[in-house]
Amino acid sequence: MQQPKNTHRLLRALAKQGLDVSYDNNIYTVRLNDALSEQPNQRQELPIAEVLLPPDFPIEGKAFQQLARLTTLAHPGGGSVTRAFATPDFHPGDTGVAIGSVIQTEGMVVPAAVGSDINCGMRLHTIDLSLADFLAQRDKFVALMKGDYLLGTRDITMTAAASRGMFADGIPGWLEQMTKQPMGSVARSDFAQLWQEIDRVQFLGSMCGNARWAPSELTPAAGLVRDGDLGTVGGGNHFVEIQEVIEIRHPRLAYESNIKVGQLAIAIHSGSRTVGKYIGGMWRDRAKAAWLKGCPFPQSDLFSLSTTTHPDLVAEYLEAEATAANYAFVNRLILAELMRLRLREVYGDIAAPLVCDLPHNLTFPHKNGWIVRKGACAAAAGQLLITPGSMGTPSYLLSGLGNDRYLNSASHGAGRSISRFELTRAGANYTESDLGLTAVDCITLRNERRIEEAPAAYKSIDRVIDTQVAAGTIEVVAKMRPILTFKA
DNA sequence: ATGTGC
């Protein structure tokens, strides 16, 4: 495929900034000139970043710049990025890391690359309920959900032992204590079913028992803990949604997950809320404080921790990250549970089994080092993953193909094309129909949130998926359309 | 991402 003419000028502009970008068959290859590298003159050959992007997608210079910088990170005491890749939904990030970046590291971890939104991820359940039956009592359901999600009347109370179990061992640690002593909004949950569903939570096993590190502020020694964050979706592109399966493309995998055309589903996009912000922020600062004296700071402010010079801090960071990740796994479980309990209240004793739950913002162990996925899913062979569209557009259930060239990774969303700032700045006069909002059934208390996340602010999810199918990183299992969205 | 912010 030829590089389109309109990108020529942009590529030349990037070259002037020190970025050499070449294009071939949907793949942009990015190199940094030595002057812009984080380690000028220190490394013979810098790793190359590849970006999987359809030729007609807008090239965002800032995102390319951020990816290139991330790719050249190295620790003066040992450790470096060895490979990098970006998914088609990649776009600039606020903290110097483009969303959709994937880096492979050896001998170091990069807390600031994971950032605050530790274990942001997706969860999908099917619901045994027809669309007609759902819509018949939609308003009653919405009224109940407004209480849970938007007005904060939910009650997430647990023993200190359950809270400690959650941080240390995630869902199993929390369930063990909650099964003994059910309380709060989830007391009526079917705990036997929650135990059975644990196997469908991806990567949870690597977290269990790894989170020995938890700040005492988060883990009271005794008494009852009333958690204000658990069971809340959070802002930005986070949501809870009722969807309808509209297309099956992989019948066997769909069948194995109880997915049929016309099937309703619950999709949840949320993370570790303020716990991740607290732990991510703390470790960004700790990595900076531990930087070797006399060594120049990285221009990007992305400080790594080296296993050569600070093995104890690397281990402690991974434990801290697991602490927040476990919190996020339980948060998504509780969000699903609140939804499931409300559905049962309105529609009777309907089943809503878990299909999968997966992180897309985390440090994953890989060979002798790690793969950091910042807004990207693991896509090992046969692994289910979800790429949600923007508000009002379809989501995809996918299966990984284990494509090592692209670091076994896939997109986590459609990718923003218009910034939140641009959409809400004074003088911006977008109408609801300009933004594609008129046909979206979204329940939220603040209309600015709908505008910031409008369909028109995002790239085409269909193109994002098609590009990856063509590249051989994923196959499509099913496609879902949104029926009803809840946002904070 | 974050009860957002120098």
Side-chain angles (χ1 to χ4, degrees):
Chain A
M1 210 183 296
Q2 281 295 306
Q3 178 190 308
K5 275 183 187 152
N6 64 343
T7 65
H8 268 300
R9 209 179 320 155
L10 276 157
L11 295 185
R12 274 206 304 276
L14 289 172
K16 276 184 190 159
Q17 296 170 40
L19 270 178
D20 294 333
V21 183
S22 60
Y23 174 84
D24 181 43
N25 193 26
N26 280 358
I27 311 292
Y28 290 83
T29 306
V30 187
R31 297 165 198 267
L32 264 192
N33 291 345
D34 196 53
L36 273 178
S37 163
E38 293 287 9
Q39 277 72 42
N41 309 318
Q42 281 186 17
R43 293 165 68 183
Q44 292 296 316
E45 207 168 317
L46 291 166
I48 292 168
E50 290 192 310
V51 183
L52 186 55
L53 208 61
D56 54 329
F57 266 34
I59 294 186
E60 297 172 89
K62 192 177 169 190
F64 273 88
Q65 184 100 28
Q66 288 177 342
L67 179 69
R69 276 256 161 80
L70 187 66
T71 304
T72 64
L73 287 184
H75 192 283
S80 64
V81 173
T82 53
R83 289 170 65 192
F85 169 60
T87 52
D89 54 334
F90 113 119
H91 60 96
D94 294 337
T95 57
V97 185
I99 318 302
S101 301
V102 182
I103 54 169
Q104 184 179 334
T105 67
E106 271 174 19
M108 68 178 203
V109 295
V110 192
V114 176
S116 297
D117 196 12
I118 296 168
N119 188 5
C120 184
M122 289 293 305
R123 174 177 264 253
L124 186 74
H125 289 251
T126 53
I127 318 171
D128 286 339
L129 181 68
S130 76
L131 178 59
D133 287 347
F134 172 73
L135 292 176
Q137 295 191 80
R138 173 204 174 275
D139 294 350
K140 185 180 174 191
F141 175 67
V142 166
L144 289 173
M145 290 299 291
K146 274 188 175 171
D148 280 336
Y149 287 87
L150 302 177
L151 304 176
T153 54
R154 83 221 178 286
D155 167 22
I156 306 299
T157 307
M158 64 187 88
T159 60
S163 175
R164 284 198 305 275
M166 167 179 67
F167 285 122
D169 290 305
I171 292 172
W174 180 77
L175 269 184
E176 191 180 336
Q177 300 299 327
M178 288 302 279
T179 307
K180 281 186 210 161
Q181 226 170 323
M183 57 177 77
S185 293
V186 294
R188 287 175 293 118
S189 293
D190 180 347
F191 286 97
Q193 170 150 17
L194 291 177
W195 278 109
Q196 281 170 20
E197 289 176 344
I198 289 176
D199 289 347
R200 286 188 170 263
V201 180
Q202 287 169 10
F203 196 63
L204 177 63
S206 306
M207 292 292 158
C208 293
N210 277 338
R212 291 176 297 278
W213 191 96
S216 56
E217 308 87 285
L218 298 179
T219 55
L224 289 184
V225 179
R226 206 181 200 100
D227 195 298
D229 262 1
L230 277 173
T232 59
V233 279
N237 54 359
H238 289 177
F239 62 82
V240 172
E241 193 162 83
I242 302 285
Q243 304 178 340
E244 181 194 21
V245 177
I246 53 173
E247 192 182 337
I248 300 290
R249 289 199 208 159
H250 196 306
R252 181 177 58 79
L253 290 176
Y255 174 77
E256 286 171 8
S257 290
N258 188 35
I259 307 263
K260 302 180 270 291
V261 169
Q263 175 99 48
L264 292 195
I266 304 168
I268 292 168
H269 182 193
S270 187
S272 50
R273 311 288 286 105
T274 54
V275 171
K277 177 181 161 58
Y278 177 76
I279 288 177
M282 171 186 287
W283 281 89
R284 176 199 57 216
D285 296 343
R286 285 193 173 183
K288 183 175 183 177
W291 198 247
L292 296 181
K293 300 282 172 284
C295 294
F297 281 2
Q299 297 168 59
S300 56
D301 242 23
L302 298 170
F303 292 89
S304 50
L305 288 168
S306 166
T307 54
T308 309
T309 60
H310 295 90
D312 47 340
L313 282 183
V314 171
E316 216 180 311
Y317 168 70
L318 292 170
E319 289 169 14
E321 202 193 290
T323 303
N326 283 336
Y327 186 87
F329 281 127
V330 173
N331 186 40
R332 286 195 291 274
L333 179 149
I334 289 176
L335 284 164
E337 212 44 36
L338 292 172
M339 192 81 149
R340 198 144 62 167
L341 289 166
R342 288 314 195 195
L343 284 167
R344 283 180 189 149
E345 221 168 297
V346 179
Y347 299 99
D349 190 19
I350 51 170
L354 177 62
V355 175
C356 61
D357 182 302
L358 62 137
H360 56 224
N361 200 43
L362 208 62
T363 305
F364 296 75
H366 178 78
K367 295 182 182 168
N368 298 323
W370 293 274
I371 288 180
V372 178
R373 296 189 177 89
K374 172 72 173 181
C377 300
Q383 187 165 28
L384 289 178
L385 57 134
I386 304 160
T387 290
S390 56
M391 185 169 64
T393 65
S395 293
Y396 284 85
L397 178 66
L398 309 160
S399 180
L401 288 173
N403 191 324
D404 189 57
R405 175 175 175 190
Y406 303 116
L407 294 174
N408 297 296
S409 300
S411 61
H412 83 307
R416 188 166 270 286
S417 58
I418 306 175
S419 72
R420 292 190 175 97
F421 172 76
E422 160 64 20
L423 284 172
T424 52
R425 76 190 160 84
N429 268 322
Y430 296 100
T431 66
E432 295 245 321
S433 93
D434 286 343
L435 294 167
L437 277 168
T438 39
V440 176
D441 189 357
C442 175
I443 308 295
T444 182
L445 292 181
R446 297 177 65 183
N447 201 40
E448 314 90 277
R449 296 299 175 248
R450 286 174 71 241
I451 291 166
E452 288 178 352
E453 298 305 315
Y458 282 81
K459 298 170 191 167
S460 156
I461 183 66
D462 293 332
R463 298 296 313 287
V464 165
I465 298 299
D466 292 347
T467 305
Q468 294 174 96
V469 169
T473 59
I474 50 166
E475 52 191 341
V476 174
V477 177
K479 186 173 177 179
M480 291 84 72
R481 74 172 174 112
I483 301 296
L484 173 64
T485 307
F486 295 92
K487 294 188 71 67

